[in-house]
Structure formats: structure tokens, C-alpha cells
Amino acid sequence: MAITGRTALLAALGTLVTGLLLPSWAGIGAVTGAVLLAVALDLVLAAPVRSLRIDRSGDTTVRLGEPASVELTVTNPAGRPLRARIRDAWAPSAWRPGTGFAASRHTLHVPGHERRRVTTVLTPTRRGDHHAHKVTVRSLGPLGLAGRQGSHLVPWTVRALPPFASRKHLPSRLARLRELDGRTSVLTRGQGTEFDSLREYLPGDDIRSIDWRASARRHTVAVRTWRPERDRHILVVLDTGRTSAGRVGDAPRLDASLDAALLLTALATKAGDRVDLLAHDLRKRTAVAGRSPGEILPAFTNAMAVLEPALYETDMRALVATALKMAPHRSLIVLLTGLDAASVEDGLLPLLPLLTKRHEVVLASVSDPHLDELAAGRGTVEAVYGAAAAEQTRADRRLTADRLTRAGLTVIDAPPTSIAPALADTYLTLKAAGRL
């Protein structure tokens, strides 16, 4: 049988203790003494922990659900080699469930006066800032029987941004935008459109677009083409109050609202419009305004990352007042909030004339698809009661939406997977109709 260096050293120490230091010991006493001496020697030979220098580098932002890499650089100023086990501690939400234990542990060997790197891979499961905790180092001796342990504070923050899952809908909406913008033969006209150019009449064109003077000069029928106006102002208002905290599936309603706001922002920016953001509950949570086109989407994403629903009713009067300050001129105001009858009737409905007097207003709300499943339930008493309750809830939402529509709003009520493309389509429809 092969004898390892560790086994040989233990045997030599046992012989030394038995033959020289402890001649009266025999059997187990000699072995115990040898092990104790080996442990003490291992502890003395382990590299010191407190003098280590540990630095961080790597990712500071990441899309929710995607991996982020953070590097630890360990510098060993001592002459003894460092044989270490390292735990890089983060909050549980920085890892996928069940992966944190393995991902946070590293084994490292650093010769004296040198440095080595290890990489910790995070996969955040929640939006927001994830902060690093202590880096714990266990320095082992040559035998691995004993060692020293200590912790270092090495601060680092990784911000988990909204995943922007709806960006898959952006190419198809950009294609429609190009049609509206006059880059293809499909051209529209509305009260908010600008004259673009003249072309020959084609069957199906609106006869109101015929330019008779130009037709007389050309000796052919010429029609005016139109394109939607650019540089319109859009204010996206996120209600972060109680209704946004309700969970639909595995996520709160606020997450679906954020996704819809990002798709609208990306589309409107490509259309040449200016987009600002307001998040409000009892008070203003965040506001992003006056950014250049290249800065808008990153600024929105960064601001949305730290938003969390508040568990109290939104102060609609303060929300509307803040929105009017941010939109002093005619704008498209997109309000992402709930369709709860009580909160709308008592809070929002009395204030709508202040908004609709000057602005075009769209209200988008995230519905719960589970209501449709409950409404179809039959067969048992519990299922029938559940179906009745679900149907009553759906009827209340429809009634609230009808009241808002009669007050001059465009209302969108869609489940989380559909709210973002539905809002983008509504924006394009308003733009095509010249209502922006």
C-alpha cells in the first residue's frame, strides 16, 4: 500500500513521541500524543488570515434571472503558502434555490507573496440591490488537520434589473412603427400628423388626401402622404401602492407593470418621442425626466430595479398633482394601476377632469387569469361559489373600466403575459390616429 506524505509524517511523529518524549506511554497513548502534536504543528504552519488582502471586481448589474460574476482577488503577504477554504456570503435571494451552498464555497492555494482569483457566480431571484456579506477564510496547515479562521468585510453590490421579458415583442411593433412613419407604402392621416411628400394615387387611397393643384401640374392624380408627429411627450406613471402588491402567479402586479412600461419606453424612444417616468404611492418614489434618447431605457431600468410595492393605499391626489407638474403641456399620460372599484371611484375618478382636460390618458391594469379558471368551475359546491365570486369580480372590473372610458380614458385590462404588447399596440393606435 502506498504511503502518503501525511501518513509518513504522522508515523514519524508517533515514533518520536513514543521513543524520546513519552517512553512510558504505549499503544493508544502514544498515538494520541502524536496526533495532538501534529495538530499543534499544523496550526502553527497555517498561513495567517488577518493579514490577507481581499479585493472584489466584476459585474455590478445583471438582468433578473441571468448570471453575474464577481471575482475575489486574494493576496497572501506572508511567506507561508495559503491553503484555504473560502465562503463568499451573500443574501439567499442572490442565488437560485438550492445552489447557494455550493456556489459560495471555494478552495484556493496561494503561494507566499502572490495572489490568486476565484469567481462567485450569482443568479439573483429578486429585483433590487444585493449586497455582499463577509468573506470567511479557513487557512489550513500542511496536514489539513487544523487551521485558522477569520472573516473580512469586502463590500460589493450587484443590482438585479427588471428582466424585460417583453422585448421579444419589440421587433414586430417597430415594423408597425416604420409603416406609420412613412417608410413603407402604408400611410395614415390624423389630426396629429405631418405632411411628408406627394406620390401617385393608388386604388384604396383616401380621396381627401388628393392634392388637386399638384395633380393639375403633373397631369396625374397626386396624393399627400402623412407621417405621425415626432417629439411628443409621454409620462409613464407607476402606482406602487397596495394594488401593485397583489400577486398574479409567482410575481406581484408591479413586475408586469414594469415590463409593460419598458416595452412602451423602448418603442416610443424609437419613434422619436420623449418619455419620462414617475413612481408614486403615498409619496414620490422615483422620477426620471429629461434624459437623452440613448439614456432613457438604461435610466428607467436602473430606477425600476429598486421599486417595491407599498402595503398602503396610494394618495391619488398627490399622484395626479405630481404628474401634472411633470407634464405641464399636452402629453400622453400612461397610468399603470389597478381596476379595483373602491380605489378608482374614491381616489382616481374625481380627479380625472384634471388629467383629461389637457392630456390623452391611458390606464393599464394587470388582470388575474386565475379568475377565468375560477369562473369556469362547476361540479362541486365550492367550485360554484368560487365561480360566482370570480364572475362578480370580473363584472366589477368591467363596470369600472366602462366608467373610466366614459370619462375619456383609454382602458387596458390584460393578464401579465399580454399587458405589455397590449399597451404598445394602444400607443401605436393613438399615434396612427393623430391623438398624441
Side-chain angles (χ1 to χ4, degrees):
M1 182 177 65
I3 299 177
T4 63
R6 180 181 301 180
T7 305
L9 183 55
L10 283 173
L13 288 171
T15 302
L16 177 63
V17 171
T18 303
L20 298 177
L21 300 178
L22 303 170
S24 61
W25 284 17
I28 189 64
V31 175
T32 302
V35 170
L36 291 175
L37 184 60
V39 168
L41 182 62
D42 218 26
L43 182 62
V44 171
L45 295 177
V49 172
R50 294 185 180 276
S51 62
L52 296 175
R53 190 173 73 248
I54 305 177
D55 303 299
R56 289 190 188 271
S57 61
D59 296 331
T60 55
T61 59
V62 63
R63 292 278 183 191
L64 187 65
E66 297 180 358
S69 297
V70 179
E71 287 189 343
L72 286 174
T73 302
V74 181
T75 303
N76 179 16
R80 284 167 283 175
L82 172 69
R83 304 169 183 86
R85 296 173 186 168
I86 297 176
R87 178 177 181 259
D88 187 7
W90 293 73
S93 59
W95 322 93
R96 282 201 182 102
T99 65
F101 183 87
S104 63
R105 267 72 173 177
H106 307 281
T107 301
L108 188 65
H109 178 82
V110 186
H113 306 294
E114 295 189 19
R115 67 181 65 179
R116 294 291 186 272
R117 291 185 178 89
V118 293
T119 301
T120 301
V121 180
L122 309 174
T123 311
T125 57
R126 293 182 60 184
R127 285 183 296 102
D129 292 337
H130 298 266
H131 303 284
H133 294 289
K134 294 179 180 180
V135 177
T136 302
V137 181
R138 180 175 295 172
S139 174
L140 301 174
L143 302 176
L145 299 176
R148 312 176 185 198
Q149 180 169 306
S151 298
H152 292 253
L153 288 174
V154 190
W156 193 261
T157 301
V158 174
R159 174 164 290 186
L161 306 174
F164 194 11
S166 63
R167 62 180 178 270
K168 63 186 178 184
H169 300 289
L170 188 59
S172 61
R173 272 62 187 182
L174 289 176
R176 286 189 57 193
L177 179 63
R178 285 191 291 271
E179 293 177 355
L180 296 178
D181 203 28
R183 298 173 191 173
T184 68
S185 60
V186 181
L187 297 166
T188 58
R189 181 182 182 182
Q191 63 180 6
T193 55
E194 297 176 341
F195 173 72
D196 184 33
S197 61
L198 294 169
R199 62 170 172 82
E200 187 175 349
Y201 176 84
L202 296 173
D205 286 335
D206 190 343
I207 60 173
R208 292 174 299 178
S209 297
I210 296 177
D211 190 320
W212 296 107
R213 292 185 178 181
S215 299
R217 291 194 300 268
R218 294 183 173 202
H219 304 291
T220 184
V221 180
V223 296
R224 301 184 186 96
T225 61
W226 310 84
R227 63 183 177 188
E229 292 184 3
R230 290 175 171 267
D231 200 32
R232 303 295 90 187
H233 180 235
I234 301 171
L235 177 62
V236 178
V237 182
L238 292 168
D239 178 1
T240 56
R242 175 186 59 82
T243 57
S244 70
R247 299 189 73 83
V248 179
D250 295 330
R253 280 187 167 90
L254 179 61
D255 285 16
S257 297
L258 297 181
D259 198 47
L262 287 175
L263 180 62
L264 174 63
T265 301
L267 182 61
T269 302
K270 292 291 185 181
D273 292 333
R274 296 174 290 112
V275 189
D276 294 335
L277 173 69
L278 169 65
H280 201 289
D281 39 67
L282 277 181
R283 60 181 178 83
K284 181 174 69 176
R285 292 296 173 181
T286 189
V288 181
R291 299 300 179 95
S292 64
E295 298 174 338
I296 289 177
L297 200 58
F300 276 29
T301 306
N302 193 56
M304 291 174 178
V306 295
L307 289 177
E308 294 293 341
L311 299 181
Y312 35 74
E313 202 71 36
T314 297
D315 185 346
M316 279 295 174
R317 187 170 296 276
L319 182 150
V320 170
T322 306
L324 291 174
K325 287 181 182 178
M326 294 184 65
H329 307 293
R330 178 172 174 79
S331 306
L332 170 63
I333 295 180
V334 178
L335 177 58
L336 290 143
T337 185
L339 271 180
D340 292 358
S343 59
V344 170
E345 292 177 5
D346 298 338
L348 179 61
L349 206 57
L351 303 171
L352 286 182
L354 299 174
L355 293 173
T356 57
K357 180 180 180 180
R358 180 180 298 175
H359 305 293
E360 185 74 29
V361 183
V362 174
L363 186 145
S365 179
V366 181
S367 63
D368 189 349
H370 187 54
L371 287 176
D372 299 332
E373 300 174 10
L374 286 175
R378 299 293 187 273
T380 64
V381 174
E382 291 80 3
V384 171
Y385 274 108
E391 192 57 49
Q392 181 63 50
T393 301
R394 295 199 303 181
D396 291 342
R397 292 178 70 87
R398 286 194 297 267
L399 180 61
T400 303
D402 290 342
R403 295 190 65 181
L404 293 171
T405 301
R406 290 195 298 269
L409 273 66
T410 301
V411 179
I412 304 169
D413 188 19
T417 55
S418 303
I419 186 71
L423 181 57
D425 290 340
T426 300
Y427 164 76
L428 292 172
T429 300
L430 293 173
K431 201 167 186 66
R435 292 171 58 184
L436 300 188

